[in-house]
Amino acid sequence: MREILRRSSSFNDMRAVVRRRLLDALAMVRWWMILAAMAATVGSLCAAFLWSLDAATKTRFDHPWLLFLLPVGGFAVGWLYHRFGASVEGGNNLIVDEIHAPNAGVPARMAPLIVLGTLVTHLFGGSAGREGTAVQLGGSLAATFGRLLGLDPPGIRILLMAGIAAGFGAVFGTPVAGAVFALEVLALGRIEYGALAPCLLAAVVGDWVCQAWGIHHGDYRIDYLAGPAKALVVEPVLLAKVALAGVAFGLAALVFAEANHRLSGLFKRFVPYGPLRPFVGGLAVIGLVYAVGTRDYLGLGVSAAGPDGLTIASFFGPDVHPWSWALKILFTVVTLSAGFKGGEVTPLFFIGAALGNAVAGGLGAPLDLFAALGFVAVFAGAANTPLACTLMGIELFGATHGVYIATACVMAYLASGHHGIYLSQRIAVAKSAGAAFADGTTLREARRSPVPAARSSPPEGERPAP
């Protein structure tokens, strides 16, 4: 009798286990369907956005006089945000804040406003990027999906991270980097592994769908191979030069981020009416064009109006361009701090490739290799995402120079300090042993306090703030 009861109990336990696994599998399938649908939508909208962006850029090339409408276009976009977009003015930082501490949510209006604002910026010649638009598209659509499906706050949090991954992966054609970026960008020194699978799925689907619409990304090549016999080895001397260049990339990232934040503060202080700030900024950009005598530093920097114009590809050789990185910083900081929309990342690619070119010329290093290293490492220092940028470098340029790519990205991350383009990032682990910050400190708070606060320990049994 006991044997019969024991077997019956074991059978019931097994049935319970199978039932739980079946329910888990059904829940996972439901999540995969939600994520795939959301990512496919983000990928499609990113494709439409990239096509529109290319059309706007070509229109500006064909009609150079459009530059003189930059102040007017800036005023119009500023007025739209002033009138309808006060709740989404935070942009990428709003999405990061919502992931950390859900509040009012990410409004659906963020998507059309950022797309329109970015297209106006590029049509008339502002120096800006496209990553901000992709991330905000992904975040806005993810939040909308979450609300329509009635997801709870933890579910919406996962969906927001997946939306960032889908947008980033689609707009740059780097799904692995997009997935890791969405996990790494939230806090310095910590990765949200709990959302790894959803973010990877979303990034891959977003990239696939974007490419299925016929969107193609830029192709950059590194022809240099190390060693006298062109073997795939790591040269100690070259590695030391890469580490030194990585410090320069990190300092450039710090200068870019701080210049952008400080000039933005000055604009807000001296031009209190929001729509007027991009108007003044547009006039400043026009003045810069005539001061330097070229339009090469307008727009994304991935294409030029003529064959002699500077683009990101120009810095892969054969010529050295010593100061192009500094001029691109100047044009981009003026554009973005005045309130024009777009993003920082593609200009950071230009700045990094140009600085890599200049550093390589000074150190006698391979131009194409160092341009590629700067391409990803300046972004790593500015966004505090060394792992995502290392993976981006491998996805874009191949794994041949993976050690050099990782070295440049890590050194740039360390050299940029507790600064960055996303002020809502939390500091989970300080970059140096001598710095200590209270749990949950944001980069915004760290900038305001020159002396870090002592790290506090949460009460026993209480989870630290994310």
Side-chain angles (χ1 to χ4, degrees), residues 6 12 15-16 32 57 74 108 137 142 223 225 230 337 340 364 401 406:
R6 186 183 65 80
N12 289 334
R15 285 182 59 188
W32 281 174
T57 300
L137 263 176
D223 294 323
L225 291 178
K230 301 300 181 185
S337 62
F340 284 96
H401 301 291

Side-chain angles (χ1 to χ4, degrees), residues 127 255-256 259-260 263 281 284-285 287-289 291-292 297 323-337 351:
S127 176
V255 168
F256 176 88
N260 197 25
L263 187 56
V285 170
L288 286 173
V289 167
V292 301
Y297 304 106
W323 297 107
S324 290
W325 61 274
L327 290 172
K328 187 61 173 178
I329 287 179
L330 179 61
F331 273 77
T332 307
V333 164
V334 171
T335 299
L336 295 179
S337 62
I351 292 163

Side-chain angles (χ1 to χ4, degrees), residues 92-109:
N92 293 355
N93 286 302
L94 171 62
I95 297 174
V96 173
D97 279 331
E98 281 296 320
I99 292 173
H100 281 296
N103 187 14
V106 180
R109 72 184 68 179

Side-chain angles (χ1 to χ4, degrees), residues 176-443:
V176 178
V180 176
F181 176 82
L183 307 173
E184 190 180 19
V185 74
L186 303 178
L188 277 68
R190 185 181 65 206
I191 294 181
E192 295 274 347
Y193 281 110
L196 178 59
C199 285
L200 181 59
L201 173 67
V204 170
V205 171
D207 179 45
W208 277 349
V209 171
C210 186
Q211 293 192 51
W213 284 105
I215 298 299
H216 303 287
H217 303 282
D219 183 27
Y220 304 100
R221 292 174 51 86
I222 302 176
D223 294 323
Y224 173 80
L225 291 178
K230 301 300 181 185
L232 305 182
V233 298
V234 177
E235 294 181 316
V237 174
L238 182 58
L239 186 62
K241 293 180 180 180
V242 168
L244 184 61
V247 173
F249 297 147
L251 294 176
L254 188 156
V255 168
F256 176 88
E258 282 302 304
N260 197 25
H261 299 322
R262 291 177 185 274
L263 187 56
S264 177
L266 290 175
F267 266 114
K268 291 175 180 177
R269 179 181 176 184
F270 292 105
V271 188
Y273 183 53
L276 196 57
R277 290 195 285 268
F279 182 88
V280 175
L283 293 175
V285 170
I286 294 173
L288 286 173
V289 167
Y290 283 91
V292 301
T294 180
R295 299 190 179 202
D296 288 346
Y297 304 106
L298 301 177
L300 287 171
V302 298
S303 59
D308 297 329
L310 286 179
T311 65
I312 293 174
S314 304
F315 305 116
F316 284 71
D319 299 323
V320 176
H321 304 272
W323 297 107
S324 290
W325 61 274
L327 290 172
K328 187 61 173 178
I329 287 179
L330 179 61
F331 273 77
T332 307
V333 164
V334 171
T335 299
L336 295 179
S337 62
F340 284 96
K341 305 302 175 182
E344 303 92 347
V345 175
T346 307
L348 285 171
F349 292 161
F350 186 108
I351 292 163
L355 182 56
N357 172 281
V359 170
L363 295 178
L367 294 182
D368 55 353
L369 174 62
F370 274 57
L373 298 179
F375 186 109
V376 292
V378 171
F379 178 34
N384 293 300
T385 54
L387 295 182
C389 291
T390 297
L391 292 170
M392 172 178 272
I394 291 172
E395 284 186 287
L396 291 175
F397 309 115
T400 301
H401 301 291
V403 174
Y404 298 132
I405 293 170
T407 299
C409 288
V410 170
M411 293 301 295
Y413 168 75
L414 295 174
S416 66
H418 298 98
H419 304 269
I421 54 179
Y422 306 126
L423 292 179
S424 291
Q425 278 182 319
R426 270 56 170 174
I427 301 175
V429 180
K431 294 187 183 183
S432 59
F437 295 90
D439 290 326
T441 299
T442 64
L443 293 188

